[in-house]
Amino acid sequence: MVTVNLSQGKDYFTQRNNKVDPNGTCGPTSMVMALLYSGYKLPDCGDRQPEDVLTEFLRTDPEVQEYFKKMYPIEFSKKVPANELAPVRAFGTNRWMKKEVNRFAWTARIQEIVFYIKEKKACVVSGQWPYRAGGVEKTIGHIVCVCGFQTAQDDIENIRDSSQVDSSRIISLIIDDPYGDYRTGYTDARGNDVIVPYNDFLKIVKEPGQNRKWVHFIV
């Protein structure tokens, strides 16, 4: 088995200690991890957490707000936070970084995710994850950083294109989840290096059950 994990030796970020809207900032927190794991240097945030700075930027930058209003007028009028819409989050993150650092795709294949990680670039995905509260089992919409994978494909490090990724040999994806471990219904707040079996990833990540996923690719 071959294991690739871009987050090894790097800091894990939890949204639970965010100063800005900790329950609603899985997107910026996952994006910050993905950027750092992919080798980017973040803007100077002083003594503040970068995910808080990114969240505020997404919610207040005039150009981000103008883009949001133009592209998603209904959500804008309902005051949906800008960080919760993937294309707006992608646009705003690029503005925050002052260059194109991520590209959002609506219909990416899991093979593409694996290939990007093999190329030392993390990804950000969303899905409906199992959640347990007060003894009740349900799901929550939630965003995570995909930072690694496990595969039985021995030549994975030598492939040159995502078409060469053998999906039948992917064992699992590795995520850094800013809220915790979905396998415990998030009763465990430790979300570093969570192993997601391939079938779980296929079932949970949007679009569920399909090999067409919503993905922020770090570029």
Side-chain angles (χ1 to χ4, degrees):
M1 181 177 70
V2 177
T3 300
V4 175
N5 185 354
L6 303 182
S7 74
Q8 284 187 332
K10 299 186 172 111
D11 290 337
Y12 158 77
F13 288 71
T14 174
Q15 69 187 82
R16 295 184 185 232
N17 66 3
N18 290 356
K19 303 300 182 185
V20 180
D21 191 10
N23 288 327
T25 50
C26 50
T29 308
S30 294
M31 186 67 77
V32 163
M33 286 192 283
L35 289 169
L36 290 172
Y37 299 164
S38 302
Y40 280 103
K41 181 179 179 180
L42 303 180
D44 183 7
C45 299
D47 59 357
R48 301 185 65 201
Q49 296 186 154
E51 58 268 42
D52 286 332
V53 176
L54 175 56
T55 298
E56 285 192 351
F57 184 88
L58 294 171
R59 293 182 177 186
T60 61
D61 177 72
E63 287 196 32
V64 175
Q65 293 302 300
E66 185 60 30
Y67 175 85
F68 186 7
K69 183 178 181 180
K70 177 182 178 181
M71 301 300 293
Y72 299 94
I74 295 175
E75 290 83 355
F76 184 85
S77 67
K78 291 181 178 179
K79 301 188 184 303
V80 174
N83 55 280
E84 293 186 6
L85 275 79
V88 179
R89 187 168 56 244
F91 177 85
T93 298
N94 287 339
R95 271 195 51 73
W96 185 58
M97 292 289 290
K98 295 184 170 60
K99 58 184 172 182
E100 185 180 17
V101 295
N102 88 109
R103 173 180 59 84
F104 180 72
W106 293 104
T107 57
R109 296 174 298 118
I110 297 176
Q111 292 95 317
E112 293 177 79
I113 296 173
V114 168
F115 182 75
Y116 263 76
I117 294 170
K118 194 278 293 188
E119 294 290 291
K120 311 304 181 189
K121 299 295 183 182
C123 299
V124 174
V125 301
S126 61
Q128 291 292 325
W129 300 82
Y131 181 75
R132 186 182 310 142
V136 177
E137 303 279 350
K138 57 180 182 178
T139 61
I140 56 169
H142 183 51
I143 301 165
V144 302
C145 171
V146 189
C147 57
F149 62 83
Q150 295 175 320
T151 180
Q153 186 176 350
D154 293 335
D155 67 344
I156 193 74
E157 295 283 8
N158 300 320
I159 66 172
R160 297 185 177 182
D161 186 82
S162 63
S163 65
Q164 296 176 297
V165 176
D166 185 347
S167 60
S168 71
R169 307 189 78 185
I170 300 171
I171 298 167
S172 64
L173 284 299
I174 301 171
I175 64 172
D176 276 7
D177 186 322
Y179 201 69
D181 191 336
Y182 83 97
R183 299 170 299 186
T184 70
Y186 291 103
T187 57
D188 186 344
R190 295 170 296 180
N192 188 45
D193 294 345
V194 175
I195 305 297
V196 184
Y198 178 83
N199 285 337
D200 271 11
F201 194 89
L202 188 67
K203 177 176 67 175
I204 292 169
V205 174
K206 295 180 181 176
E207 293 288 342
Q210 301 180 33
N211 192 7
R212 296 293 178 186
K213 303 301 183 184
W214 300 8
V215 183
H216 288 276
F217 290 105
I218 304 301
V219 298

